[in-house]
């Protein structure tokens, strides 16, 4: 997110819960920029407040329009699915779709697998390593290897057993 403030003013960006998203300092022309992290939810709004070098604090800016993050889609397993156990370690087939040509990362129980996958015009299928019985999550996010930027995570929960 970017905007303008007084030169050398500190800008604090907050979400609609009041949590600080980031801070930046206005350059000589007052321009500032704060990268938006994964907020983990759609519909959030943001406001900015500036503190000038003399310590004066502005009123919050008008709230942004509700944010919507672009995420890949997890086609399988379904959220809340019960996956039959195959014993001590069950392999789960994951099906993901999204913008063709984009790269994604897959997270199993919140941990990135270390692999980057490229989406095509048809959904891709991947399998998990063997997972024990019990609750699990799979998440996917867009990933730009050139910049290292990560997209917002889409997650499904399922249970093996």
């Amino acid at each position: 997110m970017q905007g303008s403030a007084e030169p050398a003013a500190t800008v604090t960006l907050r979400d609609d819960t009041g949590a600080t998203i980031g801070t930046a300092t206005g350059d000589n022309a007052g321009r500032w920029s704060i990268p938006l992290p994964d907020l983990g939810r759609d519909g959030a709004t943001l406001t900015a407040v500036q503190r000038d070098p003399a310590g004066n604090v502005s009123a919050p800016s008008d709230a942004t329009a509700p944010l919507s993050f672009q995420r890949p889609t997890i086609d399988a397993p379904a959220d809340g699915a019960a996956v039959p156990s195959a014993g001590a370690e069950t392999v789960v087939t994951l099906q993901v779709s999204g913008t063709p040509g984009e790269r994604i990362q897959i997270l199993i129980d919140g941990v990135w697998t270390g692999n980057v996958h490229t989406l095509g015009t048809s959904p891709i299928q991947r399998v998990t390593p063997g997972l024990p019985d019990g609750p699990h999550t799979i998440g996917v996010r867009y990933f730009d290897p050139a910049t290292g930027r990560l997209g917002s995570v889409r997650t499904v929960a399922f249970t093996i057993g």
Side-chain angles (χ1 to χ4, degrees):
M1 172 146 225
Q2 58 192 12
S4 61
E6 292 182 33
T10 300
V11 175
T12 302
L13 188 63
R14 291 191 176 93
D15 70 10
D16 48 14
T17 69
T20 298
I21 302 301
T23 59
T25 302
D27 65 13
N28 290 339
R31 293 181 301 247
W32 58 270
S33 177
I34 299 172
L36 283 182
D38 177 2
L39 298 179
R41 63 186 171 97
D42 287 338
T45 58
L46 306 177
T47 58
V49 174
Q50 71 170 314
R51 177 183 299 271
D52 69 17
N56 300 309
V57 178
S58 72
S61 65
D62 290 335
T64 62
L67 300 174
S68 178
F69 293 89
Q70 181 183 16
R71 297 178 181 97
T73 301
I74 301 171
D75 302 313
D79 196 30
V83 177
S85 176
E89 293 192 346
T90 301
V91 174
V92 177
T93 299
L94 168 68
Q95 185 172 327
V96 179
S97 58
T99 306
E102 291 290 331
R103 293 188 176 98
I104 62 166
Q105 294 179 338
I106 298 172
L107 298 91
I108 298 173
D109 295 330
V111 178
W112 176 40
T113 64
N115 299 313
V116 175
H117 310 275
T118 303
L119 293 174
T121 55
S122 299
I124 63 169
Q125 287 192 344
R126 298 294 184 266
V127 294
T128 67
L131 299 171
D133 288 358
H136 296 279
T137 61
I138 292 182
V140 294
R141 64 183 169 204
Y142 286 117
F143 170 66
D144 182 350
T147 63
R149 289 190 65 186
L150 299 171
S152 184
V153 178
R154 180 178 307 262
T155 304
V156 298
F158 60 97
T159 303
I160 297 174

